[in-house]
Amino acid sequence: EGGISLIWPTREEIRLSNYGYQMGGCIPGSVKNVWEEPAKSALAPMYCRYAAPAADSRPEIEKNPWGRGRAMPHIKTYVRHVGNDIAWMFLSSFNLSGAAWGKLEKKDSQLYLMSYEMGVLLLPSLLPTAAQCASGTFFSCTDPPSSRMQQCERVESADVSGAAAARLKMVAGNYKVKRQAQIRAGVLALPLPYCLPPLRYRPEDLPWAWDAEMPVKDSQNCRKQLVDGKLMLVQEQ
């Protein structure tokens, strides 16, 4: 009902990030794909900032929930949410590209994928209960299978009720969250590096593009400018 929000750092956010324009290398969007037609008309209404600007009226903890507002992301997350509550979340490594998602070929008779990548889907229905989380026995990568089964049987047979027996509810958390206390209350706080709901671009915001000239100096005293016909990162002395 609320539509799609596309969190894509602005040029200003990249410029002021920890390593300036250099950090934009992990966000490989070209001007053609992010800000020229026909992409512009489709994407502009969806664009949201990675972090809220300093002038935003929300508390700092809401604007920058994990203190990573100046650490530009390479993460790809897909989230359905209502406010701060999360219905499902998908974390993966593939870009929003034809190579990753596929292209129709041969008169739309086949779908061609150039790469296959793994992702992790989080659903409340697949999560453990608060009691299982508190016991620390619901999953292990190191314990032998027989040990895991015995531990899980003990947890499942325990007398639990209320929040402890219910599946966890997923919410977007922040670095001040007391995770164990929330889990006991039946809530799993996910460490999303951006705020929910996302903040739409301001009129002056432009989406980051790796092949755009950046005449304004970044946090490392660098500019992106043409040198002998090539776009170069130039640091001023």
Side-chain angles (χ1 to χ4, degrees):
E1 187 174 311
I4 296 175
S5 298
L6 177 59
I7 295 177
W8 187 268
T10 66
R11 298 183 189 185
E12 176 197 46
E13 289 181 291
I14 298 290
R15 183 177 71 84
L16 298 177
S17 65
N18 291 341
Y19 294 98
Y21 296 133
Q22 187 177 353
M23 289 200 83
C26 67
I27 307 172
S30 66
V31 172
K32 176 183 177 182
N33 289 338
V34 303
W35 203 238
E36 288 184 355
E37 297 295 354
K40 181 177 180 179
S41 295
L43 297 178
M46 304 180 194
Y47 277 135
C48 293
R49 294 175 60 95
Y50 178 58
D56 190 80
S57 61
R58 283 180 283 188
E60 188 62 31
I61 191 64
E62 294 180 11
K63 294 190 291 186
N64 190 11
W66 286 92
R68 299 186 60 82
R70 296 184 63 196
M72 292 299 103
H74 189 61
I75 189 175
K76 289 93 177 179
T77 55
Y78 304 84
V79 178
R80 183 180 183 185
H81 72 97
V82 178
N84 211 45
D85 294 343
I86 296 175
W88 54 259
M89 171 179 162
F90 184 52
L91 169 66
S92 187
S93 59
F94 46 71
N95 296 323
L96 287 173
S97 65
W101 288 83
K103 295 180 180 180
L104 289 171
E105 295 184 339
K106 296 185 178 180
K107 297 182 179 179
D108 297 345
S109 64
Q110 72 175 28
L111 181 67
Y112 175 59
L113 294 169
M114 293 182 63
S115 61
Y116 291 83
E117 302 183 45
M118 185 175 291
V120 177
L121 176 64
L122 294 177
L123 293 170
S125 61
L126 300 178
L127 293 177
T129 64
Q132 289 172 322
C133 284
S135 70
T137 58
F138 65 91
F139 180 78
S140 172
C141 291
T142 56
D143 291 339
S146 59
S147 173
R148 289 204 299 271
M149 289 300 295
Q150 292 169 3
Q151 291 172 338
C152 286
E153 286 171 3
R154 288 199 297 271
V155 171
E156 292 294 347
S157 63
D159 182 16
V160 294
S161 60
R167 297 290 174 183
L168 296 177
K169 172 185 176 182
M170 298 193 306
V171 301
N174 58 62
Y175 62 84
K176 291 186 177 181
V177 162
K178 305 297 184 184
R179 293 179 65 85
Q180 291 304 319
Q182 283 213 323
I183 285 174
R184 286 194 293 270
V187 176
L188 180 63
L190 300 179
L192 291 177
Y194 44 81
C195 60
L196 292 180
L199 183 70
R200 298 288 181 185
Y201 274 17
R202 301 168 300 177
E204 65 268 31
D205 286 333
L206 292 173
W208 165 254
W210 68 267
D211 56 348
E213 286 190 73
M214 304 293 173
V216 181
K217 289 189 293 185
D218 66 8
S219 61
Q220 304 300 304
N221 209 33
C222 294
R223 306 175 194 268
K224 285 192 73 175
Q225 59 190 56
L226 289 172
V227 178
D228 297 329
K230 294 183 178 180
L231 192 61
M232 306 285 288
L233 192 62
V234 179
Q235 187 170 35
E236 298 193 1
Q237 302 300 320

